[in-house]
Amino acid sequence: PALAPAAPPAVSPSVGLRRSTLQGAAAAGGSGCLPVDGSGRIPYVLFASSLFTALGSGMTVKFFPLYFRSDCNLSPEHVQLIYVAVPFAMVACSALVQRASITLGRVQMIVLCRALGVSLLLLMAILQLHSQYKGTPSIMVPIYIARTALMNSGYPLEESILMDYVPKSSRARWKSLESVSQFGWCGSAAIGGWLGDRYGYSYTFLLTAAIQGSATLLVATLLPLVPRREADGAAQLRAEQGEATAVCEEGGLAAEPAAAEANDGTEAQPAAARRTKPTRRNLSAALQQPLLAPTADRCAGAE
């Protein structure tokens, strides 16, 4: 005798609402189902944050050589030595930040490094406006190197988070959006040059710090969404994707018979038969069927 189907497990109201939403998307013919939670906005937040950061950086980064040359009275050779030291500081700071992110968390380290970088830029602006150390190379140059290293040390962590929460099929599209940030970085240089000529570099530093501070607050909204440990985040994401895929398939199977009846009014054939593809495993099973058929006939006769 045929066995009665097992009763479905009890589902909480929140999970049931989530499953019904995914099933509705599958029945509506959606191309894919994603988890209905806050993780879907993580790539958008990262892109907006990088765009604002690039807009702020473009206003000042291209004019730091002029600042060192005119306000700090450094020779061109000394200015170039500064830009030789900056990449080494960035490499060392990035290595330390990535090591610390294993314990403290990736978003936590991104927010911390950006907050420190913005604070150092504010310090440069304050010293330039109201201090006797205005244009002092021994103070301004180390602050600039530390600020640049901190602001750029979180980029590998941002890319890591982006690759974790973006499907493989759309990673290239998200990476191509970096060109938009680069365009903004170049476009804001015109505004920074105008402000520097009209009001001085100090006000340009203040405006850049304000824009980058806003971008830092935007990244801080990801603190409750991205787990502190990367392994926990990967496991959680795999579980959510597996649940979403299962619910989408369930919704698609439930919608297929109804769609077939609406089209031709005939009884829809089983969904499993329509979805079966001639794979190597199916062919091997078909070859074994003649060997198993006599045994099945004898069992039927015994009943």
Side-chain angles (χ1 to χ4, degrees), residues 3 32 53 78 92 107 111 137 157 164 173 176 180 266-267 283 291:
L3 297 177
T53 302
H78 291 154
V107 178
V111 173
L157 299 179
D164 284 348
R173 183 168 63 252
S176 64
V180 179
T266 59
E267 183 180 359
L283 293 176
L291 299 178

Side-chain angles (χ1 to χ4, degrees), residues 289-303:
Q289 284 181 359
L291 299 178
L292 299 176
T295 305
D297 292 340
R298 286 197 298 269
C299 293
E303 292 178 356

Side-chain angles (χ1 to χ4, degrees), residues 54-55 58-59 62-63 180-193:
L55 289 174
M59 299 176 63
K62 292 189 175 183
F63 302 103
V180 179
S181 300
Q182 295 175 1
F183 174 77
W185 189 81
C186 297
S188 61
I191 302 176

Side-chain angles (χ1 to χ4, degrees), residues 5 8 58 63 66 73 79 88 100 122 133 139 156 167 170 204 215 221 241 261 273 284 292:
F63 302 103
L66 295 176
N73 297 320
V79 173
F88 292 98
L122 282 174
Y133 300 105
I139 295 178
S170 59
T204 309
T221 60
Q241 290 177 347
E261 292 178 1
S284 61
L292 299 176

